[in-house]
Amino acid sequence: MPVTDLAPPAPPHPSRGAALSAALRRASPALLGFAAVRLLGLAALAVWGLAAGSSPHHLLAERWDSLWYTRVAVLGYGYEVALPNGDVHSNLAFFPLLPWLERGLAAVSPLAHQDAGLLVAWLASLFAAWGIFAVADLLYGRRAGVLAAVVWAVLPVGIVQSMAYSESLFTALAAWALYAVLTGRWPAAGLLAALAGLTRPVGAAVVAAVWAGALLRVRAGERSAGMLAGVLLAPLGAAGYVLWVGGHTGEGLLGYLDVQAGWGNGFDGGWAFARFIGGRLASPAFLAGVGLIAGVVLVLWLYGRCVRDRQPLPLLVYCGIVVALALCASGYFGSKPRLLLPAFPLLLPVAVALARWRTRRAAAVLGAAAVLSAVYGAFWLNGSGPP
């Protein structure tokens, strides 16, 4: 047979290791930028601690929610605190994935449970930044992806990404689940959504995003066993934990809602938050009320911009639910900025706008934002209330 009749050899299929290495190289500027901002925040917290006599380790790993997660890891579920007003704070309010990881890591390493939680959060924050980069890179290109990861790092409440809280873990799972949906990796999307549902109550937003993406593909005529597997897997984490709590408390499907009610949490459409803002406007804290209104308007404007920019439906569904649950919850008003932390699609219009700027100008703006975020984070954690 003449040589000209031979088919050209097929290009070698890259191994998973090679593909992962290439993806990591592509994301490396985003990860380095994110890590630099987070290290700056930790340095500011350390300096503030020296001046104020506070312990950064205590603030990051042994206070507020991190303490509750550690108790779940050490003692299991069933611990509760009765308050003088009759409310009961039960550790059933805290979803189990982070405590499971703390317990597992502490069992195979010399780390204490709280330090295991801190390590999980730090690693998860890097994976979250990588996932945010991957989504933005897929939609808008590498430069926008790098900037999206850094913008997420410089948020005023970015210090939470370095705490033994579940926000970083949840955001990592959510971002990669959304990436899996956008690239048609349905079993992975379903598994990640299930894990997100074991991490925070807002895991329902990831489930809804997977279902929305699948519905779009079905309407376009695409059906597959992998898609069905992803759709069925997605709700298992959240549904499984909520049903377990219902069985544990004997209250059935309403058991988890009763647990949250004991913490003063619920969904009232934002009425309690509106009254909270109104109280600030009618008090000497008037400027704080104005700032809260400005913050809500900014969040809603950014979401509107996401809609106008025609972000993919799974992102809009996910982000819309995260924003709605954060703004319309009836308790812990000081924690609302933290609850919005996983709503990273809000930042994509900002990253796209910054990508059009000259590098020096964008770097200067983000550098200034990083310094302000670091100082505010140190001030915030040394305050009286939980973040």
Side-chain angles (χ1 to χ4, degrees):
M1 181 182 294
V3 174
T4 54
D5 292 340
L6 294 175
H13 187 72
S15 66
R16 288 187 178 182
L20 179 62
S21 178
L24 185 57
R25 285 196 302 272
R26 184 170 180 83
S28 58
L31 298 181
L32 290 172
F34 174 83
V37 174
R38 292 277 37 87
L39 288 173
L40 178 63
L42 293 174
L45 185 63
V47 171
W48 195 292
L50 288 174
S54 61
S55 165
H57 179 270
H58 177 71
L59 295 174
L60 293 172
E62 298 175 327
R63 199 176 182 194
W64 304 303
D65 285 9
S66 58
L67 186 58
W68 283 90
Y69 282 119
T70 299
R71 285 182 180 139
V72 174
V74 175
L75 304 174
Y77 285 107
Y79 177 84
E80 60 185 31
V81 175
L83 303 184
N85 65 358
D87 289 342
V88 176
H89 287 185
S90 167
N91 66 359
L92 289 168
F94 296 87
F95 276 50
L97 185 57
L98 178 57
W100 286 348
L101 294 173
E102 289 182 3
R103 183 184 301 172
L105 188 55
V108 299
S109 75
L111 293 174
H113 288 83
Q114 61 268 31
D115 295 325
L118 203 57
L119 179 58
V120 169
W122 288 359
L123 293 176
S125 70
L126 286 171
F127 277 97
W130 191 358
I132 292 169
F133 164 83
V135 171
D137 181 25
L138 180 69
L139 297 177
Y140 305 110
R142 188 186 191 193
R143 183 177 175 87
V146 171
L147 291 168
V150 176
V151 170
W152 189 64
V154 304
L155 290 174
V157 295
I159 190 65
V160 175
Q161 298 157 6
S162 299
M163 298 177 68
Y165 274 35
S166 60
E167 273 76 12
S168 290
L169 179 60
F170 176 79
T171 305
L173 293 167
W176 283 109
L178 289 168
Y179 179 80
V181 169
L182 295 177
T183 55
R185 295 170 168 87
W186 294 106
L191 178 59
L192 290 165
L195 292 173
L198 286 170
T199 307
R200 294 190 63 78
V202 75
V206 189
V207 177
V210 173
W211 286 354
L215 179 61
L216 283 180
R217 296 294 181 93
V218 168
R219 291 183 63 183
E222 178 184 336
R223 293 174 176 82
S224 68
M227 183 188 299
L228 179 61
V231 167
L232 294 177
L233 276 172
L236 294 184
Y241 182 67
V242 168
L243 290 174
W244 180 83
V245 170
H248 184 79
T249 60
E251 300 295 332
L253 294 176
L254 299 180
Y256 186 76
L257 296 180
D258 290 341
V259 169
Q260 286 287 0
W263 283 81
N265 287 331
F267 187 89
D268 65 355
W271 175 241
F273 188 33
R275 287 191 290 113
F276 175 79
I277 295 175
R280 293 297 179 273
L281 293 175
S283 74
F286 174 81
L287 290 179
V290 173
L292 288 171
I293 293 174
V296 172
V297 170
L298 176 61
V299 167
L300 296 179
W301 181 85
L302 285 171
Y303 186 72
R305 182 61 184 268
C306 294
V307 174
R308 291 193 299 274
D309 288 349
R310 298 179 180 273
Q311 284 187 9
L313 181 63
L315 266 67
L316 294 176
V317 169
Y318 164 77
C319 188
I321 294 175
V322 172
V323 169
L325 291 177
L327 295 184
C328 297
S330 58
Y332 288 89
F333 307 113
S335 297
K336 289 189 182 295
R338 169 174 64 87
L339 300 179
L340 286 166
L341 199 59
F344 70 89
L346 293 177
L347 306 178
L348 298 185
V350 179
V352 171
L354 288 172
R356 300 191 186 104
W357 291 10
R358 294 182 181 274
T359 300
R360 287 186 178 180
R361 183 184 179 195
V365 169
L366 290 175
V371 171
L372 292 174
S373 174
V375 174
Y376 178 75
F379 165 78
W380 194 36
L381 290 197
N382 280 277
S384 58

